[in-house]
Amino acid sequence: MLSRALPPISVGIDICRISRIYKNLTSPLATKFVTRILAPEELETPFTRGILKCVFTPSRSPPPQHFEDAMDLRKDPRMKKAAEFMAGRFAAKEAVIKAYSLRKLSFYDIVVTYQNHIPALLENETPSDASHEKQESPSQGQPKESAGPPVAIIKGNNTSENTYARLSISHDGDYATAVCLAMLEDPDVSD
């Protein structure tokens, strides 16, 4: 049987255009877009609040009227960082959904975080502002190495526990990509 010969590993990959996310973040529906993608646990972290502050704070400048204006990411560097961050998170969640294709996952079922932040999230706490300031730099758009590699927490339900998966998120030019490596439960193993 072929399924016995295959290891219980699955890979998901996704790519996202940053300028498309930038256009969403500069639209009147920006807040709705962000809250549709990020789980409440993600929105509560000081780093996420900091990098997305420009989205949740009304701007005095009008949103771009044409797609070409939205593609000019140099106009607002804070919004560019927010768009890069959201494009990475969007790609990561899509990669997780593809890696766990047999499960019916939504964006809210997946929390993208960093390995060293998992203990605080499991205790329903957010890492303190002080620890984030030491570990993360919003000007760079991602945590420093001390936060550990990115991981996905796939929330469990009444009958299952949380599942964890490794992620790799990368940005280059106008694109963000993500890869998810998932360890699947082996159906042949009985408890």
Side-chain angles (χ1 to χ4, degrees), residues 73-160:
L73 303 178
R74 296 167 292 175
K75 290 186 177 182
D76 187 349
R78 291 177 304 144
M79 192 63 77
K80 177 185 178 201
K81 286 291 180 196
E84 289 171 348
F85 172 80
M86 286 300 298
R89 292 296 167 104
F90 185 89
K93 289 187 177 210
E94 285 286 333
V96 171
I97 289 169
K98 291 172 183 175
Y100 288 94
S101 60
L102 297 178
R103 293 180 65 177
K104 303 276 190 238
L105 296 176
S106 73
F107 287 143
Y108 279 19
D109 295 327
I110 304 162
V111 175
V112 177
T113 188
Y114 296 90
Q115 186 170 317
N116 296 347
H117 296 171
I118 290 175
L121 287 170
L122 292 178
E123 297 169 9
N124 291 325
E125 301 173 2
T126 56
S128 70
D129 287 326
S131 70
H132 268 68
E133 288 171 8
K134 291 177 187 172
Q135 295 180 358
E136 299 176 346
S137 171
S139 64
Q140 295 174 352
Q142 59 187 358
K144 295 180 181 178
E145 292 86 39
S146 60
V151 295
I153 302 172
I154 299 91
K155 296 178 191 176
N157 54 29
N158 296 341
T159 61
S160 65

Side-chain angles (χ1 to χ4, degrees), residues 10 15 22 26 40 62 65 70 74 92 115 125-126 132 150 162 166 171 182 184:
S10 181
I15 187 168
Y22 184 92
T26 55
Q65 298 298 317
R74 296 167 292 175
Q115 186 170 317
E125 301 173 2
T126 56
H132 268 68
N162 290 347
R166 296 278 183 196
H171 301 80
L184 304 175

Side-chain angles (χ1 to χ4, degrees), residues 32-43:
K32 186 176 182 179
F33 174 75
V34 169
T35 56
R36 190 182 130 246
I37 304 303
L38 299 180
E41 298 91 334
E42 294 170 295
L43 288 168

Side-chain angles (χ1 to χ4, degrees), residues 1-2 9 11 17 21 23 26 31 49 54 57 66 87 103 118 120 122 127 152 157 171 176 185:
M1 180 182 279
L2 180 61
I9 297 172
V11 176
R17 192 169 182 189
I21 301 299
K23 182 179 177 186
T26 55
T31 303
R49 286 193 315 256
C54 59
T57 305
H66 303 287
R103 293 180 65 177
I118 290 175
L122 292 178
N157 54 29
H171 301 80
E185 292 181 22

